[in-house]
Amino acid sequence: MTKFLAVVKREYVVRVRSRMFIATTILGPLIMSLFGLVPALIFRMEVGGPLRIAVVDQTGRLYDRLSESLMNERKESEGVSIADGARKSVQMNSAERLQQVASQQRQTFWLQKIEMSASLEQTREQLKRRIREKEIDLYLILPTDLLDYGSAELVGSSTGDIFAKDDLEDAISNAVREARLEQARIDPQTVRSLSRPTQLKVMKIDDLGETEDRGQGFIVVFGVGFTIYLTILLYGQMVMGSVIDEKETRIAEILFASVRPFTLMTGKLIGVSCVASTQLAIWGLAFITFVFFGTNALTWRGVPMQLPGIRPILFLYFALFFLFGFFIYATVYALVGSMATTPQEAAQLAMPIILLLVVGFYLAFPVIKSPNSPFAFWVSIFPFFASITMLVRIVSQTPPFWQIALALLLELGTIVALLWLAARIYRVGMLMYGKKATIPEIIRWVRQA
Amino acid sequence: MSEIDITVRLDQVRKSFGEFTAVKDLSLAVRAGRIFGLLGPNGAGKTTTIRMIVNITAPDSGTIELFGQRITPTLQDRIGYLPEERGLYKKMKIGDQLRFFAELKNISGKEVDRRIDSWLARVKLSEWKNKRAMELSKGMQQKIQFIMAVLHEPDLVILDEPFSGLDPVNVELLKDVVLELKRTGKTVIFSTHQMELAEKICDDICLINRSQKILDGSLRQIKKSFGRNAVALRMEGSNGILNDASLVSSVQTHSDEVEVLLAPGATAQQFLRKLVDSGANVSKFEMIEPSLHDIFIEKVTEAE
């Protein structure tokens, strides 16, 4: 027991004291939020100035409406108050975020009305020349029959910007609709006020009562799944690194002369799991502190922050599923580490493990969509996926308790089986220098032990 | 010789890896309080034998007894082991490292700190206590590993090639420590392929070659049984005597002297008298014992 504790202590102290641990503890949440933010920021990047469009309005009735419509569009999106924006960015799910990015990224259009002085063909030639000379980016032709059935024509050297194209299409449709309504003697002002869009308010019912869900549910589910996936990956690899280190430096031989391989391996797993728990506890406390003080401060400043309701039992489930998932993957990592001779070789051998973990992470998405389907059930009790998928189910729509218990039980059984297997391979693998273990050899070790 | 005087006893021990038999029916006894040399060329099976004694691997068949008992993991605490393939945690400080390995041998507390300091002073590495292992030279690391093997004051110390790669000053330093261990009643198993070194410190030896024991016993007795009539000789004149087949069976010429193997039945006294009578000017005349190296070569070739 003393030996076991000595192994746990060494593993823990060395790692918690390392610069790496301190850096990931502080930067971890930052890096995770960057994963969400960087793509958004890249989408937002405005490269180049406004889109310069020359408009040939053959109907003579659309240009003013078009330019007004495009300007309105901009005003509307700018009209969203800062407070609103802040609230939005906290609550949005990824689909919404993409949309917002697109709207924020909307080009400011710069329109120029072209009076037709010559034939259409001549005007076209002129406009094409201007595009070649880079005076304008695009030209738009609104033909006379557009009000009845025709289609508008947009010409330019680069027409790849789908956001700009959608905006223009909307604006033209609006302008055409208004012109048609006017023709039918209906006041466009009335039409506009009558066709104001409605909004869908989403409510979630669970044992917390009824709460409005503006997408924050998805954020929590996604965040939980991602955190567990990332920490298992990170700390599983840490176990593997530690095993390879002891094999490569040949410390294993002295260690095995003092402590039984199984004690060493389990001590290592427990030690690293303590490191991971420490880090998660720090993050958890920081999160709770933020919830209690941060949101109050923000609300007080006029930023309405509504954080999703999180039940305390979730923390317990998170801890359990994290630890069980960690032990499953870390044991496999330890096993792989003992079979390899160099870190490079181990990285190769570990590829299938990472793949399994990634699959588990992506399975979270269909599970979020329909957390009560048979598919979600089977996927969430499968031991290699359960830590991510069952937790995702618990957060989105808590399944019956027996399903949670079953998932945990199956994970526990898997851990025991893997430890049994790993102990046999680890002992022999650690003392084998210079060559990678072959599959028949490994089978023999397991049989002989 | 009572049972209690035997620290390690191997009986018909066999170990194979797949097709290859690393140790074949090896029996030996290591007497308490003596330095036992486990000798043989590279790949003879020394390390495999040691790993079984330390309980890192188990024999396929045969029995191993330590201190009169069948081996168990708890007996490991009474053994100190310096493996040939040795390592340290690169990024761990020397002091922490030594304390960790002491804890793995079930000792801890203030006493450990005191022992660490005194051992570091003894091998002249005190100022390195708070340095990381990666900052130490190879020789320094080897001395740290040596300390690991003896820090918990084990009754049995197993040293696998402990002097390889050390400079002569450090070899002397560690050799003194080994001899001191013996004086304090510890048993030492010393494995090497360097026969000259073994000859200087071992009390008993066991020679193994190709997984099998060739010869064992006390070094003095072995030498006596190999007692050949050999003389180291330095002289001037009268080379004719060396060609006398009734006296001399072979002559090896070294740089400034010759090694003469006397013919069966001839004595050194007769030979010396003949030399003096023939008017030779003898400046050196010394009976020489066969070296362990010679014995080993002779035994191995005899077996083949």
Side-chain angles (χ1 to χ4, degrees), chain A residues 56-65 113 142-144 147:
Chain A
V56 180
D57 183 9
Q58 287 182 304
T59 64
R61 290 162 61 187
L62 289 173
Y63 180 80
D64 288 341
R65 288 199 171 86
K113 189 171 183 180
L142 305 169
T144 342
L147 286 177

Side-chain angles (χ1 to χ4, degrees), chain A residues 2-7 9-11 14 17 19 242 245-246 248-261 264 268 427 431-433 444, chain B residues 17-18 47 51 54-58 73 76-77 79 81 83-90 92-93 96-97 100-101 103-106 108 132 145 148:
Chain A
T2 339
K3 297 183 182 190
F4 175 72
L5 289 179
V7 175
K9 196 179 83 189
R10 194 201 81 84
E11 216 50 62
V14 164
R17 269 201 210 145
R19 261 177 248 137
S242 169
D245 189 43
E246 281 173 4
E248 245 193 336
T249 53
R250 311 283 198 255
I251 304 174
E253 182 126 6
I254 310 183
L255 289 171
F256 286 2
S258 311
V259 54
R260 278 194 280 176
L264 182 66
K268 192 178 289 298
R427 195 179 62 82
L431 294 174
M432 214 169 90
Y433 309 130
R444 208 183 60 226
Chain B
F17 301 102
T47 299
R51 278 184 179 176
V54 187
N55 201 12
I56 291 178
T57 50
Q76 278 190 329
D77 293 351
I79 310 174
Y81 176 37
E84 187 182 8
E85 297 273 13
R86 46 201 158 216
L88 293 171
Y89 290 109
K90 283 180 234 150
M92 219 173 157
K93 286 177 185 161
D96 295 341
Q97 201 139 199
F100 170 63
F101 280 96
E103 280 171 15
L104 288 187
K105 290 293 188 186
N106 266 330
S108 53
R132 288 159 191 267
Q145 285 146 346
M148 278 179 188

Side-chain angles (χ1 to χ4, degrees), chain A residues 96-281:
Chain A
E96 262 178 11
R97 183 176 299 154
L98 200 71
Q99 246 171 20
Q100 194 205 18
V101 167
S103 76
Q104 278 169 343
Q105 202 226 10
R106 243 160 222 164
Q107 320 280 336
T108 6
F109 295 99
W110 177 86
L111 298 185
Q112 187 191 21
K113 189 171 183 180
I114 303 293
E115 300 296 344
M116 283 247 290
S117 48
S119 74
L120 185 59
E121 283 315 301
Q122 279 171 326
T123 315
R124 274 179 191 275
E125 282 311 310
Q126 252 173 14
L127 290 171
K128 275 179 195 160
R129 205 194 62 234
R130 286 182 67 189
I131 287 178
R132 275 196 297 275
E133 283 166 9
K134 307 226 182 292
E135 271 178 49
I136 51 169
D137 299 308
L138 299 159
Y139 71 83
L140 177 68
I141 292 178
L142 305 169
T144 342
D145 57 5
L146 185 61
L147 286 177
D148 302 320
Y149 47 81
S151 50
E153 188 186 340
L154 185 67
V155 182
S157 55
S158 151
T159 47
D161 187 342
I162 48 157
F163 300 121
K165 186 182 155 262
D166 281 356
D167 284 353
L168 266 178
E169 207 164 18
D170 282 354
I172 295 167
S173 298
N174 277 342
V176 168
R177 194 190 313 128
E178 277 175 25
R180 283 174 188 160
L181 287 167
E182 201 185 61
Q183 246 173 359
R185 306 216 175 280
I186 299 169
D187 176 22
Q189 209 56 50
T190 322
V191 172
R192 207 172 290 170
S193 74
L194 287 176
S195 57
R196 211 178 37 236
T198 43
Q199 266 162 8
L200 185 63
K201 196 172 166 188
V202 185
M203 307 296 287
K204 183 185 174 189
I205 301 177
D206 57 15
D207 32 341
L208 277 182
E210 213 171 298
T211 43
E212 186 175 355
D213 190 341
R214 291 210 204 97
Q216 71 266 51
F218 182 87
I219 293 275
V220 173
V221 173
F222 182 81
V224 162
F226 192 66
T227 310
I228 242 181
Y229 157 76
L230 211 63
T231 33
I232 288 180
L233 190 68
L234 205 72
Y235 284 99
Q237 304 241 6
M238 190 181 273
V239 168
M240 183 168 83
S242 169
V243 168
I244 294 175
D245 189 43
E246 281 173 4
K247 185 172 176 178
E248 245 193 336
T249 53
R250 311 283 198 255
I251 304 174
E253 182 126 6
I254 310 183
L255 289 171
F256 286 2
S258 311
V259 54
R260 278 194 280 176
F262 188 73
T263 313
L264 182 66
M265 192 181 73
T266 45
K268 192 178 289 298
L269 290 173
I270 301 271
V272 174
S273 78
C274 290
V275 180
S277 305
T278 306
Q279 188 161 64
L280 285 172

